[in-house]
């Protein structure tokens, strides 16, 4: 069964600090996809990144970076030099590609508060 | 930039009433989904829909729920007889292909409050 664990429930930092959001997943499939979504206070879900299980290359996009490690089943997300606008709930999600399922399985989310 | 839209943004209903939540997916998308998020909890999959039929549903999606694509643009979720525990944010999503090729784009959500 697929499962996503975000052990941290809430983090509070001061602006310009770096922060890493942890995500650990479980799946029996060898082909799967990992995602991060951002949910700002307005409530919508904003797609940030998708990673497939065959691509372990880390990715950087501006202040955001992602570290995918299959050996530890982790897909961690780092925000460098955090800003107040980064305050949101961040969800990690998993989708198994084998068996034809389309669903995203989300973690419980991690609330990030960036204080000025 | 194309986006998924949902109406209404907030729906208040009495227990036992039927509600219909509406979504307009991105116009050239083929795969449609409903998820829900009970306040303060994680987002949970309800149902996926492709080629005018349900392709997958969760255990949450019982006989009280149904989905429909009544025309070429709308995608609806109906709850036949609402319960208090149906109070949640309901998100519609769409993708242009199976997720292996495209991510799911989410709408802004409809907050359903059942009194």
């Amino acid at each position: 069964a697929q499962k996503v664990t975000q052990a941290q429930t809430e983090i509070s930092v001061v602006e310009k600090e770096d922060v890493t959001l942890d995500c650990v997943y479980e799946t029996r499939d060898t082909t799967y996809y990992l995602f991060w979504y951002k949910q700002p206070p307005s409530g919508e879900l904003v797609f940030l990144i998708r990673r497939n299980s065959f691509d372990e290359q880390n990715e950087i996009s501006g202040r955001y970076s992602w570290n995918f490690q299959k050996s530890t089943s982790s897909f961690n997300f780092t925000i460098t030099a955090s800003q107040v606008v980064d305050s949101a709930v961040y969800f990690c999600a998993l989708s198994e590609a084998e068996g034809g399922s389309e669903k995203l399985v989300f973690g419980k989310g991690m609330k990030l508060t960036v204080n000025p | 930039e194309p986006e998924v839209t949902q109406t209404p943004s907030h729906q208040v209903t009495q227990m036992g009433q039927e509600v219909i939540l509406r979504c307009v997916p991105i116009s050239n998308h083929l795969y449609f989904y409903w998820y829900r998020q009970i306040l303060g909890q994680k987002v949970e999959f309800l149902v996926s829909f492709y080629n005018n039929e349900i392709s997958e549903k969760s255990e949450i999606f019982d006989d009280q729920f149904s989905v429909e694509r009544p025309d070429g643009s709308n995608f609806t979720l109906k709850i036949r007889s609402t319960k208090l525990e149906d109070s949640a944010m309901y998100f519609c999503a769409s993708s242009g292909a199976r997720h292996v090729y495209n991510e799911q784009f989410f709408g802004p959500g409809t907050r359903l409050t059942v009194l």
Side-chain angles (χ1 to χ4, degrees):
Chain A
Q2 45 189 327
K3 185 180 175 184
V4 175
T5 302
Q6 294 179 257
Q8 309 143 309
T9 54
E10 198 161 345
I11 293 178
S12 185
V13 299
V14 178
E15 217 171 8
K16 296 184 185 172
E17 279 187 48
D18 298 348
V19 58
T20 295
L21 314 181
D22 297 332
C23 173
V24 173
Y25 61 91
E26 292 176 33
T27 177
R28 292 181 188 159
D29 283 11
T30 54
T31 304
Y32 50 89
Y33 293 81
L34 296 162
F35 303 79
W36 277 96
Y37 283 85
K38 174 182 179 180
Q39 186 175 43
S42 48
E44 72 272 24
L45 286 167
V46 179
F47 167 81
L48 295 177
I49 191 172
R50 178 186 61 169
R51 230 20 183 184
N52 75 57
S53 52
F54 296 109
D55 184 1
E56 284 194 76
Q57 198 170 16
N58 291 328
E59 182 157 340
I60 298 174
S61 176
R63 295 184 297 107
Y64 295 170
S65 62
W66 291 270
N67 182 355
F68 176 29
Q69 295 207 344
K70 256 172 126 167
S71 60
T72 55
S73 297
S74 65
F75 185 44
N76 296 337
F77 172 30
T78 297
I79 302 174
T80 303
S82 58
Q83 299 175 2
V84 173
V85 293
D86 295 327
S87 297
V89 179
Y90 290 86
F91 291 95
C92 181
L94 164 72
S95 188
E96 292 176 336
E98 296 163 23
S101 176
E102 295 295 315
K103 68 180 180 187
L104 292 172
V105 173
F106 285 81
K108 290 186 177 179
M110 203 287 301
K111 182 178 180 181
L112 173 64
T113 303
V114 181
N115 297 301
Chain B
E1 186 175 326
E3 57 184 18
V4 178
T5 59
Q6 291 185 242
T7 53
S9 56
H10 191 187
Q11 173 98 42
V12 181
T13 190
Q14 295 290 326
M15 192 170 57
Q17 294 296 304
E18 174 183 287
V19 294
I20 297 176
L21 310 183
R22 290 184 166 77
C23 168
V24 179
I26 294 172
S27 64
N28 60 348
H29 281 188
L30 302 173
Y31 294 78
F32 313 112
Y33 312 86
W34 284 101
Y35 292 81
R36 80 169 186 193
Q37 183 184 29
I38 294 171
L39 186 63
Q41 298 188 24
K42 66 179 177 181
V43 179
E44 300 173 291
F45 169 78
L46 290 178
V47 66
S48 59
F49 191 86
Y50 169 69
N51 201 24
N52 278 320
E53 59 183 29
I54 291 173
S55 46
E56 186 179 4
K57 61 183 181 179
S58 72
E59 58 274 11
I60 302 169
F61 194 89
D62 61 23
D63 292 343
Q64 293 298 311
F65 291 89
S66 62
V67 289
E68 195 178 32
R69 187 153 162 83
D71 52 45
S73 60
N74 290 285
F75 179 50
T76 61
L77 174 69
K78 183 195 290 186
I79 309 175
R80 241 179 295 281
S81 177
T82 50
K83 308 185 195 86
L84 295 176
E85 54 266 34
D86 293 328
S87 293
M89 180 78 95
Y90 288 81
F91 291 102
C92 174
S94 71
S95 65
R98 288 190 63 212
H99 70 73
V100 297
Y101 306 116
N102 282 101
E103 66 267 21
Q104 296 176 21
F105 290 86
F106 283 79
T110 292
R111 180 164 298 285
L112 176 66
T113 302
V114 182
L115 302 176

